[in-house]
């Protein structure tokens, strides 16, 4: 966002309420006709008018309203044929970076990053996991050493989705190795265009390179790009991780959205493969998918309002298991036809093509659901300890300085 932009809601001098929201949206559309306004110009104006995330504060793309009011905005803009911000292309930015920046960023950081993030002008990735620090993220070894008003970062990250397209990255690094592992971490935003950032593609089971490994060689990060206090990185990281799990397990989807929609469409379109057994399995999965969608809607609203909780781990775990069972049944119904695959070549994925990929692709891709965003085993630990209140595992590494831990 540039200094010359203004928030339309603030400039009127009259706060927008939920009752006045429909007329406010209508006024916005009267001066920004989607049919004649260039897409990016429209999206920028929508953000400035507070219609990006209505629950966010004025000046941050919102109007300070209840999150439920977003449905009013979305419906009116959809009816007018307005463009969206292609959320599938910036899932980390929208689902993880934005709420973290809102919760922990300064006013200047919010001003700098939220607008181009929401419009899709800047893609975000997440530099968290490392080859020796995946499930146990707090043991990470990427180090950041202060040099005046900058930090010099060295290390390696892995499983970094969208790193090859990203302008910015959420980065967690170790700034004090002499204290226990959770206390010596600091959270930064790293410019992926910086010298020393080396992105290398990783081929996955589908044949595609959806994610990457990233090497950081004397990468300089300005201290003004730090989120939170020095040493409080784990607290900020928890905000990101809880939003990540909600984004994976409780994303906004219509009825029969996602994997269950592909399965239901196959059943309706292919009468030759129908059996009583597969019908019973389909109905069980359909009910589970719909139950999960309705249950997680409240969780999703809590997350976009800035209050995600550990319950997101339950949704993430349930989604992973359900998606794998749905894709497995889809292959069972197809039989030998399910063995077909359109393209095994080593390539970057086209996110706009995903709905047209074959069943075999979905079956292979869902195997990653139980790993990405925290493994299913870690999700079960979080559910047991933080939701059910069961005794935690016996550990000695939480009080020992990180540099004294065996590696």
């Amino acid at each position: 966002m540039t200094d010359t932009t203004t928030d339309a809601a603030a400039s009127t001098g009259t706060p927008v309420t939920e009752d006045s929201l429909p007329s406010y949206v209508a006024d916005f559309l009267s001066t920004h006709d989607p049919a004649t306004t260039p897409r990016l110009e429209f999206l920028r104006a929508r953000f400035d008018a507070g219609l990006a995330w209505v629950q966010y504060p004025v000046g941050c793309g919102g109007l300070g309203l209840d999150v439920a009011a977003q449905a009013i905005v979305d419906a009116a803009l959809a009816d007018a044929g307005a463009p969206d911000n292609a959320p599938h292309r910036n899932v980390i930015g929208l689902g993880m970076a934005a709420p973290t920046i809102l919760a922990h960023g300064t006013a200047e950081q919010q001003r700098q990053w939220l607008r181009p993030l929401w419009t899709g002008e800047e893609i975000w990735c997440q530099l968290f996991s490392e080859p020796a620090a995946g499930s146990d993220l707090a043991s990470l070894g990427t180090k950041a050493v202060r040099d005046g008003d900058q930090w010099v970062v060295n290390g390696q990250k892995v499983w970094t989705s969208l790193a090859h397209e990203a302008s910015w990255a959420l980065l967690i690094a170790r700034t004090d190795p002499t204290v226990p592992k959770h206390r010596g971490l600091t959270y930064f935003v790293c410019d992926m265009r910086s010298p020393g950032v080396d992105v290398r593609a990783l081929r996955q089971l589908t044949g595609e390179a959806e994610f990457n490994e990233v090497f950081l060689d004397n990468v300089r990060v300005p201290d003004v790009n730090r989120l939170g206090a020095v040493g409080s990185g784990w607290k900020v990281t928890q905000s990101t991780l809880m939003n990540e799990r909600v984004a994976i397990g409780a994303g906004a989807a219509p009825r029969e959205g996602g994997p269950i929609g592909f399965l239901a469409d196959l059943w309706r379109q292919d009468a030759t493969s129908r059996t009583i057994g597969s019908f019973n399995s389909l109905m069980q999965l359909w009910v589970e998918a719909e139950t999960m969608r309705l249950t997680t809607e409240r969780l999703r609203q809590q997350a976009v309002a800035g209050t995600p909780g550990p319950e997101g781990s339950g949704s993430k775990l349930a989604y992973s298991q359900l998606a794998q069972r749905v894709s497995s049944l889809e292959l069972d119904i197809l039989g030998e036809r399910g063995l077909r695959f359109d393209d095994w070549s080593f390539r970057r994925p086209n996110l706009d093509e995903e709905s047209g990929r074959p069943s075999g692709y979905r079956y292979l891709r869902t195997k990653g659901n139980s790993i990405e965003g925290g493994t299913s085993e870690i999700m079960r630990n979080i559910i047991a300890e933080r939701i059910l209140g069961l005794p935690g595992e016996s550990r000695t590494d939480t009080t020992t300085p990180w540099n004294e831990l065996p590696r």
Side-chain angles (χ1 to χ4, degrees):
M1 186 187 303
T2 65
D3 292 335
T4 59
T5 60
T6 59
D7 188 285
S11 65
T12 63
T14 303
V16 179
T17 66
E18 191 165 333
D19 289 339
S20 65
L21 183 59
S23 60
Y24 178 73
V25 176
D27 290 343
F28 172 79
L29 288 170
S30 69
T31 56
H32 301 84
D33 183 358
T36 58
T37 307
R39 177 179 180 276
L40 185 55
E41 181 182 331
F42 183 91
L43 292 175
R44 289 171 175 171
R46 176 178 169 181
F47 183 95
D48 295 340
L51 299 175
W53 301 289
V54 295
Q55 75 278 5
Y56 277 28
V58 171
C60 292
L63 297 168
L65 300 178
D66 187 272
V67 63
Q70 187 67 46
I72 299 173
V73 175
D74 293 343
L77 294 180
D79 289 344
D84 66 15
N85 60 344
H88 62 289
R89 289 188 163 274
N90 201 13
V91 292
I92 295 171
L94 294 167
M96 301 163 218
T100 303
I101 294 168
L102 183 68
H104 300 280
T106 64
E108 174 59 25
Q109 289 170 336
Q110 294 167 358
R111 185 202 67 80
Q112 176 184 359
W113 289 318
L114 286 179
R115 187 189 196 227
L117 182 159
W118 188 84
T119 61
E121 294 171 78
E122 294 179 345
I123 304 300
W124 286 66
C125 67
Q126 182 191 77
L127 297 176
F128 279 20
S129 294
E130 299 181 7
S135 296
D136 185 13
L137 179 60
S139 66
L140 64 86
T142 293
K143 64 179 180 180
V145 178
R146 188 145 196 176
D147 181 19
D149 60 357
Q150 296 183 327
W151 296 81
V152 181
V153 182
N154 285 277
Q156 179 186 357
K157 300 293 183 175
V158 74
W159 319 130
T160 310
S161 300
L162 298 176
H164 56 290
E165 297 182 354
S167 301
W168 299 97
L170 304 172
L171 168 67
I172 183 75
R174 189 163 303 281
T175 50
D176 187 352
T178 66
V179 297
K181 59 184 183 181
H182 292 86
R183 288 164 42 196
L185 302 172
T186 303
Y187 199 111
F188 303 94
V189 171
C190 175
D191 188 337
M192 290 294 288
R193 297 152 292 194
S194 301
V197 176
D198 182 12
V199 178
R200 304 179 189 177
L202 286 175
R203 188 172 190 175
Q204 56 201 95
L205 190 62
T206 60
E208 294 181 336
E210 182 180 330
F211 41 67
N212 314 266
E213 55 184 343
V214 179
F215 294 85
L216 304 165
D217 183 12
N218 290 323
V219 176
R220 290 188 169 269
V221 178
D223 187 58
V224 293
N225 284 11
R226 170 170 46 85
L227 289 182
V230 174
S232 68
W234 190 248
K235 177 182 178 181
V236 184
T237 298
Q238 290 309 297
S239 293
T240 305
L241 292 177
M242 286 190 290
N243 279 289
E244 177 183 39
R245 290 156 191 165
V246 172
I248 294 174
R255 175 177 289 185
E256 289 193 8
I260 195 64
F262 293 108
L263 179 58
D265 287 343
L266 172 64
W267 177 267
R268 295 187 181 105
Q269 296 168 10
D270 190 353
T272 62
S273 302
R274 297 175 187 170
T275 67
I276 294 298
S278 59
F279 177 71
N280 289 339
S281 298
L282 167 64
M283 288 308 303
Q284 179 179 351
L285 292 172
W286 193 96
V287 170
E288 289 183 31
E290 181 63 7
T291 302
M292 179 179 170
R293 183 184 72 84
L294 295 173
T295 302
T296 56
E297 175 60 24
R298 179 171 58 185
L299 180 63
R300 187 185 69 82
Q301 292 188 6
Q302 290 174 344
V304 297
T307 57
E311 299 84 0
S313 297
S315 292
K316 194 272 177 182
L317 175 63
Y319 173 81
S320 300
Q321 294 176 328
L322 181 63
Q324 291 171 354
R325 291 165 57 207
V326 168
S327 65
S328 181
L329 179 59
E330 190 177 355
L331 282 193
D332 287 344
I333 292 175
L334 284 169
E336 62 184 18
R337 291 174 295 160
L339 299 176
R340 298 172 183 166
F341 204 89
D342 56 342
D343 188 357
W344 283 98
S345 62
F346 186 28
R347 63 168 185 166
R348 295 295 189 182
N350 184 337
L351 299 178
D352 294 327
E353 291 180 348
E354 195 160 327
S355 62
R357 303 302 299 278
S359 300
Y361 169 85
R362 287 190 288 277
Y363 176 80
L364 295 176
R365 181 60 185 84
T366 59
K367 298 305 178 184
N369 294 156
S370 52
I371 301 174
E372 60 193 351
T375 66
S376 293
E377 290 76 17
I378 293 297
M379 296 302 103
R380 292 186 177 97
N381 277 355
I382 293 173
I383 293 168
E385 297 174 15
R386 298 182 59 189
I387 299 178
L388 300 179
L390 299 178
E393 296 180 358
S394 178
R395 302 182 64 175
T396 60
D397 62 348
T398 57
T399 57
T400 304
W402 178 84
N403 58 2
E404 296 179 14
L405 294 174
R407 274 181 286 280

